[in-house]
Amino acid sequence: MSSASPAFLMRLMASTFSIAEKAQTIVQQVMSGGDLGIVEKTGANDLQTKADRLVQISICSSLARKFPKLTIIGEEELPSQDVDEGLIEAGQSEEVLKYSCPAQYSHIKEDEIVVWVDPLDGTKEYTEGLLDHVTVLIGIAYDGKAIAGVINQPYYNYQAGAGAVLGRTIWGVLNLGVFGIQLKEVPEGKHIIITTRSHSSRLVNDCVCAMNADEVIRVGGAGNKVIQLIEGKASAYVFASPGCKKWDTCAPEAILHAVSGKLTDIHGNPLQYHKDVKYMNSGGVLATLRNFDYYASRVPDSVKKELVP
Ligand code: AMP
Ligand code: MG
Ligand code: MG
């Protein structure tokens, strides 16, 4: 008896996994090529490089070619252009296809999904050589909710020395699990806050101070910070600023939720990911692997008042 063909969501995940691995190669190639082609978008802290551009074209075109009915929203605004065939990834991960789709998602159709693409998260850090802060984020939303995601870390292990495999791809689906990363918890009773390194403000710092932390880690990238929550390096990602967008949070949120963590705005409200939502997460970001309520309760009312969702 032949087995039934995989559910659409798992076929999409299998392709997205391969597309994220292709993105890793492009990010590395642009860096080793030496010319980053840096452009300022809204200012010196909002940059775009050749890697952001090429990876966005690669991800969006590869997905659209295979799945033409998807809604795909990418961070970068690029002129429509002929796509270099070398940027197209047509493969799919056989490993991902070994997993069955959670029953409640098995009916999902191509035209019901919104894909949120951050081709390179942590661009500022990429241009400064802080390579392990960089991730590629592909988030999958259904019915306004982040339900699955792929995060590639192109420079994972880059300081680990000879023999270490460079880069990794983490993927997860709600009610199925997360793969490609080992979950670890912060030692009991320790409060380690992780926040922005290059987009601080008075409000961001007021909120971090109110957490009464044992330690504050300042690093780039929304994807990087959520990975550090999952690996037990930080307890809460606190960002009291409207700077993050839906493509920054969709994949990390889905992966965090798939290991029973929680990502919301700073008020504790869930984020929405339907195609007409405003891109900006104007209510800020609060995320934890465990003990969400503890950190949510420490957000000052004065901060909440200034961050209207
Ligand atoms: P960060 O933690 O500073 O690396 O920010 C996480 C993500 O949100 C990155 O993709 C940033 O580019 C984006 N982001 C945060 N704050 C701002 C801002 N003020 N302007 C533009 N992008 C921002
Ligand atoms: Mg980003
Ligand atoms: Mg980006």
Side-chain angles (χ1 to χ4, degrees), residues 75 118-123 135 137 221-223 244-245 247-249:
E75 172 174 6
D118 186 342
L120 201 159
D121 180 49
T123 300
T135 58
L137 305 174
C244 269
K245 320 293 187 309
W247 43 77
D248 291 305
T249 48

Side-chain angles (χ1 to χ4, degrees), residues 103-132:
Q104 67 268 52
Y105 302 138
S106 59
H107 64 279
I108 296 180
K109 299 197 295 287
E110 196 173 317
D111 60 359
E112 296 175 318
I113 280 180
V114 182
V115 184
W116 293 92
V117 178
D118 186 342
L120 201 159
D121 180 49
T123 300
K124 176 92 174 150
E125 285 70 25
Y126 180 68
T127 65
E128 295 175 18
L130 295 167
L131 300 179
D132 49 346

Side-chain angles (χ1 to χ4, degrees), residues 229 235-237 256 260-263 286-293 295-296:
L229 294 179
S235 337
Y237 171 14
L256 188 61
S260 304
K262 189 164 173 178
L263 185 150
L286 178 64
T288 67
L289 178 62
R290 303 287 179 253
N291 304 322
F292 180 88
D293 293 347
Y295 298 96

